[in-house]
Amino acid sequence: MTKIELIPDILVSYYYHAARDAADLALQQKVPDSLQNAIIAVVMSQCALEAYINHYISQNQLSKHKVDICQNGKCLRKELSAASIRDKWEQVPIVVNGHKWDTTNPPFTRFSELVGQRNDLIHFDAKKYIHIYNSPTDISHTDDLSPLIQDGKWLAGSKILKLAAIGVSGPKIIHDMISGLHDMLGTKPPDFLNSEKVIFRIKILETT
């Protein structure tokens, strides 16, 4: 008899590929299906980035490391594990080797946008999504709305469209943030960024 241990690997691989699949569908579809998949891409992209940085912190025993989190001129010293996702990504390279993100340019600014859009979805306030559109054609019946809605042009300038845009950009944000982190750390990025789905590692414990 052989005992085989299945070790769950970091599920970021699934999150990343789920975000890619949803983003691809969003680009192919019309409203409302495209919006649904864009939202999925936003959520899964956030999952990927939050899980990845938490995994890195845990694996490298950085959870208890104290960092200074500064906001609006005030600084608070806290353990890295208690920091926000944005602060964790910003602080990890500083802690490891002193390197810093350029937080005023992509990919970090796009990452911050992604976090903001995901937070707005979870802490939902319908008033933020109200959008008024001036239709070029007269609408006298709800049946007249269908082609207008599917066209999607009525979303121009709306928060919903910004949400969709960050959703389809989600996989690139994941790729650029993880690759950028490893560039600063001088380490190899994970294989799942090159389309490999890695979920389990297998270890043969003993054969009797």
Side-chain angles (χ1 to χ4, degrees):
M1 178 185 295
T2 300
K3 289 186 178 180
I4 300 174
E5 183 178 31
L6 297 178
I7 307 166
D9 210 338
I10 181 170
L11 294 181
V12 174
S13 176
Y14 262 7
Y15 304 155
Y16 173 60
H17 287 280
R20 281 182 56 180
D21 291 346
D24 287 345
L25 285 172
L27 289 171
Q28 298 168 22
Q29 295 169 329
K30 294 182 178 181
V31 177
D33 293 334
S34 59
L35 180 57
Q36 174 180 307
N37 279 296
I39 290 172
I40 292 171
V42 167
V43 174
M44 297 313 298
S45 295
Q46 165 96 357
C47 283
L49 288 168
E50 190 159 2
Y52 192 81
I53 203 65
N54 285 335
H55 177 74
Y56 185 90
I57 289 169
S58 175
Q59 290 294 101
N60 291 276
Q61 300 180 336
L62 301 175
S63 298
K64 299 294 184 181
H65 193 94
K66 298 285 183 132
V67 294
D68 292 318
I69 307 298
C70 300
Q71 189 174 20
N72 299 324
K74 296 181 179 180
C75 294
L76 181 65
R77 194 159 183 80
K78 61 174 65 176
E79 291 182 355
L80 188 56
S81 60
S84 68
I85 176 177
R86 188 185 185 281
D87 290 332
K88 285 175 181 175
W89 273 95
E90 186 174 359
Q91 291 293 328
V92 162
I94 296 174
V95 169
V96 175
N97 61 12
H99 285 144
K100 295 182 178 180
W101 288 97
D102 178 358
T103 58
T104 62
N105 283 300
F108 206 92
T109 51
R110 294 293 282 163
F111 159 62
S112 294
E113 289 177 45
L114 173 69
V115 173
Q117 291 287 357
R118 179 267 179 192
N119 288 345
D120 283 347
L121 283 172
I122 303 303
H123 306 284
F124 189 75
D125 181 355
K127 293 191 295 293
K128 290 183 178 181
Y129 292 87
I130 292 175
H131 177 61
I132 297 175
Y133 173 72
N134 295 316
S135 173
T137 58
D138 292 334
I139 303 295
S140 58
H141 193 274
T142 53
D143 291 342
D144 299 331
L145 288 171
S146 182
L148 179 66
I149 290 174
Q150 290 186 4
D151 180 79
K153 292 180 181 179
W154 62 281
L155 289 172
S158 68
K159 182 172 176 61
I160 295 174
L161 188 61
K162 292 177 182 178
L163 168 66
I166 204 72
V168 298
S169 299
K172 177 172 171 51
I173 296 171
I174 298 170
H175 183 281
D176 291 350
M177 286 298 293
I178 293 178
S179 296
L181 176 66
H182 284 278
D183 284 345
M184 285 189 285
L185 300 180
T187 52
K188 180 179 177 293
D191 291 336
F192 70 76
L193 290 182
N194 298 318
S195 297
E196 293 188 24
K197 293 185 180 180
V198 183
I199 302 302
F200 288 102
R201 287 177 289 117
I202 298 175
K203 181 178 180 181
I204 298 176
L205 298 179
E206 61 182 56
T207 300
T208 57

